[in-house]
Amino acid sequence: MTVSTHPTVPQDFAIQVAENEGMPSRSNSWASPPLPARRLTGTLTLGLSKTRAATRGLWSVKEKAAMRQPPASLIATTVAIAGVIASFAFPVLAQDGTGPMPENAQPRSYGDGWVCNLGYRVEGAECLALGIPEHAYPTGRSYGTGWECDRGYEEVNGISCNRIPVPANAFLRSSGYDWQCERGFRQEDEACVPIVLPERAYLTDDHSGTGWTCDRGYEVLAGTCSPIAVPENAYLTNADYGAAWACERGFVKIDDRCDAVVVPSNAYLDEASYGPGWSCERGYEVLNGACVAIDLPENAYLDRSGNRWSCNRGFQLSDGACVLGR
């Protein structure tokens, strides 16, 4: 179909078609050679869709302008949503101190807006006084009661501060919210009672137990400090729990005594808490209380301990020998 000549073709459309068809322009004389011109078919009066089809899917100047302008319905919807958001935002801004500064407020130390003075809290767009009880001070926090009790006082039901009762022979802890018995006293319920030291004992900092422990060489027995019976060839361990004494090197504990360790040939002293007190040297194994040389078979090696052996890789144990594996 031949292009209709009734409608007057706008100049900008003619320029767009010329550019889409590869026609050179004065401002783009340096561009790549133009594509072969082709004849346009169709009717211009059919609208922008056929015009775009005739120009190989490219948008015209007018269509691009139309795309840059959102529909009126979209603009109206956006304005409505913004209004709803603003209706919720304005009270929050006022509570955050961004509106006119009320009484009992001061400008922020940074940024814009204002904050309530110490002892006041934001309520809407005002700064209202906190109900601070006696023996309390404002914290400046926007949550909780907004106040805390003085040192030596404790909060009661969030409305008052009562003095912490400190019994005789006690003192306030560094936190100021609890008390502790003085040295030489221990806590029983809500009182501090004197610690009775037995002979051969001294005070400790353990407030949960008796408050004392026995001197070196003594052990607690029925509330007293009794001497520790250390056998010959033994020494005190000074352990708070477990064995009070241990055998010296070269001796082994048997019942309540320390017997000398008899080290056989090809052995050495071993201070392990179990065993006879000695171990065989490398290449020897224990047999009937003695250390005998290991008969190492062919294709075998001593393991890490040096007192046992294993077959080489690719061999397996069979009747005391290392044979090829299957």
Side-chain angles (χ1 to χ4, degrees), residues 161-172:
C161 291
N162 292 358
R163 180 182 291 277
I164 297 174
V166 180
N169 304 309
F171 60 91
L172 277 174

Side-chain angles (χ1 to χ4, degrees), residues 283-298:
Y284 293 83
E285 61 183 348
V286 178
L287 182 63
N288 298 327
C291 292
V292 297
I294 296 175
D295 184 13
L296 191 66
E298 191 176 0

Side-chain angles (χ1 to χ4, degrees), residues 70-270:
S73 58
L74 179 59
I75 296 175
T77 304
T78 304
V79 171
I81 294 175
V84 173
I85 295 175
S87 65
F88 288 103
F90 290 152
V92 174
L93 293 176
Q95 291 179 2
D96 286 344
T98 56
M101 187 168 64
E103 293 185 13
N104 305 311
Q106 58 183 317
R108 292 183 185 274
S109 58
Y110 58 91
D112 298 328
W114 49 267
V115 292
C116 292
N117 295 335
L118 193 63
Y120 294 82
R121 177 175 288 176
V122 175
E123 292 290 343
E126 298 181 311
C127 289
L128 303 182
L130 293 172
I132 302 177
E134 190 178 4
H135 305 299
Y137 61 92
T139 62
R141 291 192 288 264
S142 59
Y143 55 88
T145 60
W147 52 266
E148 287 187 359
C149 295
D150 295 336
R151 174 179 167 82
Y153 291 82
E154 58 185 353
E155 181 181 327
V156 179
N157 299 325
I159 57 175
S160 63
C161 291
N162 292 358
R163 180 182 291 277
I164 297 174
V166 180
N169 304 309
F171 60 91
L172 277 174
R173 294 183 183 270
S174 58
S175 65
Y177 300 112
D178 197 6
W179 54 268
Q180 177 182 328
C181 293
E182 296 175 353
R183 181 173 175 82
F185 295 83
R186 60 184 177 85
Q187 182 175 348
E188 282 191 5
D189 297 329
E190 298 300 319
C192 291
V193 298
I195 295 175
V196 180
L197 282 177
E199 292 186 9
R200 306 292 183 179
Y202 61 92
L203 291 171
T204 65
D205 293 328
D206 183 10
H207 305 289
S208 59
T210 59
W212 57 269
T213 191
C214 295
D215 295 339
R216 175 179 167 82
Y218 293 81
E219 60 183 350
V220 178
L221 185 62
T224 62
C225 291
S226 300
I228 297 173
V230 181
E232 190 177 358
N233 302 311
Y235 61 91
L236 293 170
T237 61
N238 298 326
D240 294 331
Y241 54 89
W245 55 269
C247 294
E248 295 177 356
R249 178 177 172 79
F251 295 85
V252 63
K253 182 178 181 180
I254 298 178
D255 298 330
D256 291 331
R257 67 181 190 275
C258 291
D259 292 350
V261 176
V262 179
V263 182
S265 300
N266 303 310
Y268 60 91
L269 285 173
D270 186 356

